[in-house]
Amino acid sequence: LNLTADCNAVLKALQPIFQEQGMTETVHNWEDHGYLATYIKKNGSFANLRIHPHGLVLVDLQSYNDHTKGREEVDELLNKVEERMKELFHGNIKRVKRLPAILRGGDIDRYWPTADGRLVEYDIDKVVYDEDSPFQNIKILHSKQFGNILILSGDVNLAESDLAYTQAIMGSGKEDYTGKEVLILGGGDGGILYEIVKLKPKMVTMVEISFASNIDQMVIDGCKKYMRKTCGDVLDNLKGECYQVLIEDCIPVLKRYAKEGRMFDYVINDLTAVPISTSPEEDSTWEFLRLILDLSMKVLKQDGKYFTQGNCINLTDALTLYEEQLSRLYCPVEFSKETVCVPSYMELY
């Protein structure tokens, strides 16, 4: 409202609407803090009416409706509430906002948070794959817009629509991979491997990490069956003419390569995003990232390049802290960054 609310007047104006539905009423009054009225129907549906003295009036409805008629009844009740409020306050209503229903407990979970904690409802219409590996829950869900989406332990990883992500983490078409040695850390969806193999490298080695990565054997198995628009046929075999996939922890592999003096033209880290926490001393993930960075530098040629994802651009503090880590490596490095829109993330990264 544009003005303070007469809480008692609002309550009395709206009471008949709920009473007409045969709902029993319970009212709580907190003097200077307004009213909370609850209305319960015999079928278990209920409404909370919260009236704040400063002019905010909230109506929350919860019901079990899996049919059109039930949804129409909810809309009809809300229409009556809105009409009554307009009669009561005339031109003094600042804004009326009706939010779509949140669907709980269904067979398909459509709600996944963005990196910066905003809730997004996806147009998921089918569960394609849902399994628990020893390390994580693996889901592949189908979206009408984005195709199949890989979700690991509640984190949206990659969709078939997300070639922009893969292209960006490979250098956005500015790199010549012909005849080059490439090391991919993570990348279990196979997208990076599939795109690099097309560019005629000398050898691509993809290695996972079993305890902190976005991949394990079950991820590979799920993706090679249900994410083929992303990975093509490169995950069908762990070895190809110019690539190999190692199902082992990447940290010992990196240490071994460093000891052997094996060097790469490119290291692409697709293991994990920059942590949200801005307290690296208290967050083992930051220590893990620093370890991966240092080990990667030891196997990277002097003129080599290291590519990795950052995080969504709204997490400015975490991104700044990550950039600070680059000045603490055992060798000096230069860095640049690029922002792209990843379709299924619904945010800039």
Side-chain angles (χ1 to χ4, degrees):
L1 305 176
N2 283 326
L3 69 172
T4 57
D6 182 336
C7 297
N8 189 50
V10 173
L11 180 65
K12 288 189 174 181
L14 298 182
Q15 276 175 326
I17 296 174
F18 298 99
Q19 292 168 353
E20 289 167 4
Q21 300 289 320
M23 304 176 88
T24 58
E25 178 187 72
T26 304
V27 179
H28 304 272
N29 179 7
W30 292 287
E31 297 180 0
D32 295 335
H33 299 287
Y35 286 84
L36 169 64
T38 60
Y39 298 90
I40 302 175
K41 210 169 185 176
K42 290 183 179 179
N43 66 1
S45 300
F46 67 93
N48 291 325
L49 171 63
R50 183 71 171 96
I51 308 165
H52 295 269
H54 68 275
L56 178 64
V57 179
L58 303 173
V59 179
D60 293 317
L61 291 172
Q62 290 193 29
S63 61
Y64 180 76
N65 289 322
D66 57 355
H67 52 82
T68 303
K69 183 180 177 182
R71 291 190 290 271
E72 289 175 349
E73 289 175 356
V74 169
D75 285 338
E76 183 181 351
L77 188 148
L78 290 173
N79 289 339
K80 289 180 178 180
V81 168
E82 192 173 320
E83 291 168 6
R84 191 67 55 86
M85 289 294 288
K86 287 178 180 177
E87 292 171 3
L88 185 64
F89 290 99
H90 304 293
N92 290 316
I93 294 179
K94 181 179 181 181
R95 182 173 67 246
V96 175
K97 182 75 172 181
R98 191 181 299 187
L99 300 177
I102 293 178
L103 306 177
R104 298 179 172 93
D107 293 334
I108 298 174
D109 187 357
R110 299 187 179 101
Y111 303 95
W112 303 96
T114 59
D116 60 345
R118 292 173 291 111
L119 185 63
V120 173
E121 180 177 359
Y122 285 82
D123 57 347
I124 303 298
D125 60 4
K126 184 168 59 176
V127 177
V128 176
Y129 182 84
D130 189 357
E131 297 289 344
D132 289 311
S133 80
F135 314 110
Q136 59 200 329
N137 173 258
I138 306 160
K139 285 184 175 66
I140 299 177
L141 308 179
H142 181 264
S143 157
K144 298 173 187 176
Q145 293 183 84
F146 308 123
N148 287 345
I149 305 176
L150 174 65
I151 299 175
L152 300 178
S153 297
D155 182 36
V156 175
N157 271 244
L158 198 75
E160 292 178 317
S161 62
D162 296 344
L163 182 59
Y165 173 95
T166 303
Q167 290 174 332
I169 205 169
M170 290 170 53
S172 297
K174 302 169 187 174
E175 304 300 319
D176 181 8
Y177 286 92
T178 306
K180 300 297 175 61
E181 291 271 1
V182 183
L183 178 64
I184 302 172
L185 308 177
D189 51 72
I192 298 171
L193 180 60
Y194 180 55
E195 295 301 324
I196 288 185
V197 165
K198 296 177 187 178
L199 303 177
K200 309 299 182 185
K202 180 179 179 182
M203 175 56 69
V204 183
T205 301
M206 187 174 99
V207 57
E208 71 168 72
I209 183 167
S210 60
F211 62 86
S213 167
N214 67 348
I215 79 171
D216 57 36
Q217 182 64 60
M218 288 181 66
V219 174
I220 290 176
D221 292 341
C223 288
K224 73 180 180 182
K225 187 172 182 179
Y226 299 112
M227 297 282 290
R228 294 189 78 83
K229 289 183 181 178
T230 296
C231 66
D233 61 357
V234 294
L235 297 181
D236 293 351
N237 298 290
L238 297 183
K239 284 190 177 182
E241 184 179 339
C242 63
Y243 72 89
Q244 61 176 339
V245 178
L246 306 180
I247 308 297
E248 53 183 301
D249 188 341
C250 78
I251 291 179
V253 172
L254 283 168
K255 290 179 178 178
R256 183 172 75 243
Y257 286 168
K259 187 176 181 180
E260 295 171 353
R262 185 170 176 186
M263 306 296 282
F264 294 87
D265 298 287
Y266 294 95
V267 176
I268 301 176
N269 179 356
D270 195 31
L271 289 171
T272 184
V274 170
I276 293 175
S277 167
T278 54
S279 301
E281 295 79 9
E282 302 173 4
D283 193 329
S284 61
T285 309
W286 280 108
E287 295 175 11
F288 166 73
L289 283 186
R290 281 195 293 268
L291 174 62
I292 294 295
L293 274 166
D294 265 326
L295 289 173
S296 296
M297 295 305 109
K298 290 176 181 177
V299 299
L300 193 63
K301 292 181 180 178
Q302 185 70 25
D303 59 349
K305 291 187 179 181
Y306 175 92
F307 290 113
T308 189
Q309 61 170 306
N311 216 315
C312 85
I313 63 171
N314 287 343
L315 295 174
T316 54
D317 291 344
L319 291 168
T320 299
L321 188 56
Y322 179 80
E323 291 173 12
E324 291 174 3
Q325 311 309 309
L326 302 180
S327 64
R328 301 178 184 177
L329 299 175
Y330 80 93
C331 63
V333 298
E334 296 177 351
F335 74 90
S336 62
K337 54 188 176 180
E338 180 181 359
T339 300
V340 297
C341 179
V342 183
S344 76
Y345 293 8
M346 299 194 195
E347 55 190 339
L348 295 178
Y349 237 67

